[in-house]
């Protein structure tokens, strides 16, 4: 079962039956107030230690901020609401209410990992981020139906897990990496809890000459896992290997789903950015 949906379901039940938030309006959390501040335990980027950090979500500033020192004037990071995403990742983070927050910094994805011992507190932060995203999207897409905006509030990853990869020349040895597929961005990390990806691959559609093939080119060497995948893009071939046939099939299905989906106008801009990356 999906741990994030279990956590959300538990808090929904508590809100309804314990806290009576649905019948007593004055008990409803101001999820949609557009401002929230508090302290969350944040994982250090380099040492992996969790430290208490002051966090402020401000719709007026259009950002979620965190501060390294309680009396600091300038935030350590400013995460713009329009690129913000949040997903519960208790297993990966190792905390029951662990939340992975991502945003774009110079068009690269940056990961922040936070948790709170109180499940309600963490769900309230998650809902506050979703409310801020909803208000941003209402302004960005005037006239859009609420039902069309809801899927854009936050998103879970299509798939995550380990694969091996090789470099652009295909002569380098294969290295084991943690892969995260966030819509059309396939990112790879040395460690699942790294702040930044080692690299990102854009997965376009078949109309734009993207193809997914099982196996590796015949001359390929230097891999340990036997179940290969080749992704053909307009610029080059990306070679991956999976530990089991089941993992290979799962990744293939995830890639194929994207390749079969026509690209949206805004996705062409993302693809263009990837092509111009150094």
């Amino acid at each position: 079962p999906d741990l994030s949906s279990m956590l959300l379901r538990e808090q929904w039940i508590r809100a309804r039956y314990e806290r009576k938030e649905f019948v007593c309006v004055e008990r409803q959390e101001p999820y949609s107030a557009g401002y929230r501040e508090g302290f969350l335990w944040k994982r250090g980027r380099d040492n992996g230690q969790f430290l208490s950090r002051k966090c402020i979500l401000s719709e007026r500033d259009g950002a979620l901020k965190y501060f390294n020192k309680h009396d600091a004037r300038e935030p350590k990071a400013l995460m713009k609401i329009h690129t913000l995403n949040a997903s519960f990742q208790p297993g990966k983070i190792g905390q029951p209410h662990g939340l992975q927050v991502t945003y774009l910094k110079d068009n690269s994805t940056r990961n922040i990992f936070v948790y709170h011992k109180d499940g309600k507190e963490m769900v309230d932060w998650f809902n506050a981020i979703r409310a801020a995203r909803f208000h941003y999207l209402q302004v960005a897409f005037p006239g859009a139906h609420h039902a069309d905006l809801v899927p854009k509030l936050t998103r879970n990853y299509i798939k995550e897990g380990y694969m091996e990869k090789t470099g652009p020349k295909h002569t380098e040895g294969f290295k084991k990496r943690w892969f995260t597929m966030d819509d059309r961005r396939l990112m790879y990390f040395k460690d699942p809890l790294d702040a930044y990806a080692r690299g990102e691959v854009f997965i376009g559609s078949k109309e734009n000459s993207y193809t997914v093939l099982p196996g590796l080119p015949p001359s390929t060497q230097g891999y340990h896992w036997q179940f290969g995948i080749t992704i053909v893009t307009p610029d080059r071939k990306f070679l991956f290997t999976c530990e089991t046939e089941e993992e290979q099939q799962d990744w293939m299905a995830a890639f194929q789903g994207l390749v079969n989906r026509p690209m949206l106008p805004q996705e062409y801009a993302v693809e263009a950015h990837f092509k111009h990356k150094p």
Side-chain angles (χ1 to χ4, degrees):
D2 182 355
L3 284 166
S4 64
S5 62
M6 282 165 60
L7 178 62
L8 289 166
R9 195 176 299 133
E10 181 204 346
Q11 289 303 324
W12 183 88
I13 292 166
R14 288 181 183 278
R16 181 169 181 181
Y17 298 108
E18 272 181 22
R19 301 193 291 270
K20 303 280 193 285
E21 285 178 22
F22 291 86
V23 288
C24 306
V25 177
E26 69 276 6
R27 288 188 195 166
Q28 288 179 14
E29 272 286 327
Y31 298 127
S32 54
Y35 185 89
R36 185 175 186 88
E37 70 171 84
F39 288 88
L40 296 173
W41 292 91
K42 180 196 162 288
R43 189 178 190 273
R45 188 179 84 180
D46 301 318
N47 60 13
Q49 271 186 308
F50 281 92
L51 296 167
S52 179
R53 293 289 180 249
K54 183 181 180 181
C55 299
I56 295 177
L57 176 69
S58 168
E59 250 178 59
R60 194 182 64 190
D61 298 341
L64 171 65
K65 298 174 270 196
Y66 81 84
F67 298 80
N68 261 5
K69 294 190 170 60
H70 297 345
D71 56 355
R73 288 190 173 177
E74 291 301 311
K76 177 69 177 162
L78 191 133
M79 311 168 228
K80 292 287 189 187
I81 285 170
H82 72 89
T83 70
L84 205 56
N85 187 37
S87 62
F88 283 103
Q89 294 271 22
K92 192 159 93 174
I93 296 170
Q95 297 291 341
H97 314 120
L99 191 72
Q100 180 171 349
V101 178
T102 65
Y103 67 103
L104 289 183
K105 188 177 177 184
D106 306 324
N107 220 303
S108 290
T109 304
R110 163 85 157 98
N111 293 323
I112 304 262
F113 301 97
V114 294
Y115 79 94
H116 196 284
K117 291 182 175 69
D118 180 356
K120 177 184 182 303
E121 181 72 14
M122 211 61 256
V123 169
D124 287 351
W125 272 102
F126 179 72
N127 283 331
I129 289 169
R130 284 174 63 88
R133 290 267 309 152
F134 183 64
H135 296 148
Y136 157 74
L137 289 166
Q138 281 182 308
V139 174
F141 301 100
H145 291 290
H146 287 187
D148 296 330
L149 298 182
V150 168
K152 295 184 168 74
L153 300 185
T154 49
R155 60 192 180 273
N156 290 328
Y157 300 125
I158 296 173
K159 183 164 172 60
E160 287 194 287
Y162 285 107
M163 289 193 288
E164 293 183 325
K165 68 169 288 294
T166 187
K169 296 190 182 73
H170 302 171
T171 52
E172 307 90 330
F174 280 69
K175 292 189 173 76
K176 182 180 168 184
R177 293 288 181 257
W178 176 266
F179 284 83
T180 297
M181 187 185 279
D182 184 10
D183 205 49
R184 290 195 185 273
R185 282 175 185 264
L186 177 68
M187 298 171 277
Y188 53 92
F189 305 83
K190 199 165 184 186
D191 182 273
L193 298 175
D194 282 349
Y196 289 102
R198 289 296 176 96
E200 302 190 32
V201 180
F202 182 85
I203 311 290
S205 69
K206 57 190 176 191
E207 290 86 358
N208 300 79
S209 306
Y210 288 82
T211 321
V212 188
L213 305 167
L216 302 172
S219 57
T220 313
Q221 293 180 332
Y223 56 92
H224 311 96
W225 289 349
Q226 297 306 306
F227 302 95
I229 299 173
T230 299
I231 295 187
V232 182
T233 78
D235 303 318
R236 59 172 273 204
K237 289 179 180 175
F238 290 91
L239 310 184
F240 306 113
T241 59
C242 303
E243 191 172 13
T244 66
E245 188 175 5
E246 185 183 11
E247 272 292 280
Q248 179 201 37
Q249 296 300 320
D250 286 352
W251 277 110
M252 288 276 298
F255 290 137
Q256 199 61 55
L258 289 173
V259 167
N260 288 345
R261 195 178 83 198
M263 270 164 62
L264 300 168
Q266 59 266 33
E267 291 174 332
Y268 282 97
V270 178
E271 182 191 37
H273 167 80
F274 272 80
K275 286 185 174 174
H276 293 121
K277 264 189 173 177

